[in-house]
Amino acid sequence: MSSSPIPALIPNIVLMGHVNAGKSTLLNALIGQEVAITSPIAGTTTDTVHKRMEIIGVGAVNLLDTAGLGDTTSLGVQRLQKTLQSINQAHLLLYVLDASCWYLHRPLKQSALPADATRRIMVFTHIDQLTVDQRVALQQNFPDALLMDYQDPQSIDALLRRIAHRLQREEKLLLDGIALPHRHIVHVIPIDSEAPKGRLIMPQMQLLREALDRHLRSTVVQVEELQTLLDHDPTIDLIITDSQAFAQVSAINQQRYPLTSYSILQANQKGDLAFFLQGVQALATLPPQSNILMMESCTHNVNHEDIGRVKIPKLLQKQFPHITFHFDFVMGAHMPDNLQQYDAIIHCGSCMLPAKTMHHRMDQARRQQVPMLNYGLFLAYAMGILEEATAVYRSAPLI
Ligand code: SF4
């Protein structure tokens, strides 16, 4: 059990369901240890329990056992908020249902289930309380559901295989939609005062791993080495830079090779690039008093060069000196319900968020007609290189 932040490269599998549906027993069975307290008393899991495990074919995953739904006490209502936050961060939901309750007392309507069927697996527990005929009827009613029989070791194996299958096809990749005829990409990774000590940041690691998976050649340089590389290697398909070095890299590149940023790759991978580009265009029509919502998907400390708190607000003000800006900053899993109070939303690259959550956020913005864009697109726009930084997608029917 841990209350530390959960790295997003590791998928979150959230166990959800009504109180006493058997979520904690399922968690214990999955990891083969007694980490979650189980009891027949409703509401035994009062806070989200985190546990890490390795699944063959996937690697490490975070299992999150949430407090049960349907607890109507005042504490239960607060716990529900935490459960909903966990669901919001889920790459995959295990929707746990008590088969005996469903079959005998509480017919379950399909419409009550979480909508996106590719992101949930229904698991019926307490199967031993059903007759054979009832089991058959249950499986006929819910052909995609797994009936969990703890006496049968193959039950857990079947669930682990189903989880692996769902997670393997879970998200678009960073380089999807980009032609790479020479199979050679250049990663520009500045090691500056904001770079974490002794490691790379999430999108840099993700891209390196994806390049290896795709058997691409990767050349990794800092800005200082880029000129020499570009002068001597004609096989480069794409340069990917940290957004903050965009202007320098663009000046060195002189439009010789396609150039983009980690954040723009993420806009395509997790978001909707065309929608974000409309968000960039909408900046030109901001009112004289503009409220801007700055959103970051994880919590971190802030320094004097912070991109979201300092650099982007300054650049926005410089770009539109006649406008008086007011900024609200939101970090983590929360998104304000009322977005109409804002004239634009500028979101981080969202490396810590599942694509599903980003899509939910974009849907909220669309519904309330609030323009939305991300940091990388804004920085490219502010530096006057938006066209160059998105050209790599122009041959594809994205924008
Ligand atoms: S603020 Fe956003 S882009 Fe930056 S590390 Fe957190 S989730 Fe990733």
Side-chain angles (χ1 to χ4, degrees), residues 10 22 39 71 105 162 220 228-229 244 390:
I10 299 178
S39 94
D71 178 352
H105 312 299
R162 182 83 63 97
V220 184
T228 309
L229 175 70
Q244 303 204 51
T390 52

Side-chain angles (χ1 to χ4, degrees), residues 295-307:
M295 291 195 70
E296 297 196 340
S297 310
C298 70
T299 308
H300 54 84
N301 64 334
V302 174
N303 70 11
H304 65 287
E305 288 184 304
D306 189 83
I307 184 167

Side-chain angles (χ1 to χ4, degrees), residues 202-203 266 295-300 348-353 375:
M202 193 73 76
Q266 287 174 312
M295 291 195 70
E296 297 196 340
S297 310
C298 70
T299 308
H300 54 84
C348 75
S350 72
C351 63
M352 297 283 180
L353 274 192
Y375 285 7

Side-chain angles (χ1 to χ4, degrees), residues 8 11 39 55 70 90 94 108 112 131 136 145 171 176 183 202 212 217 254 273 275 297 321 328 337 347 355 370 389:
S39 94
I55 296 182
L94 298 189
L108 175 77
T131 64
V136 171
E171 291 205 342
D176 279 358
R183 313 197 59 71
M202 193 73 76
L212 288 168
R217 183 153 66 100
Q254 296 287 318
L273 191 50
F275 177 61
S297 310
D328 280 346
D337 292 331
H347 203 293
V370 182

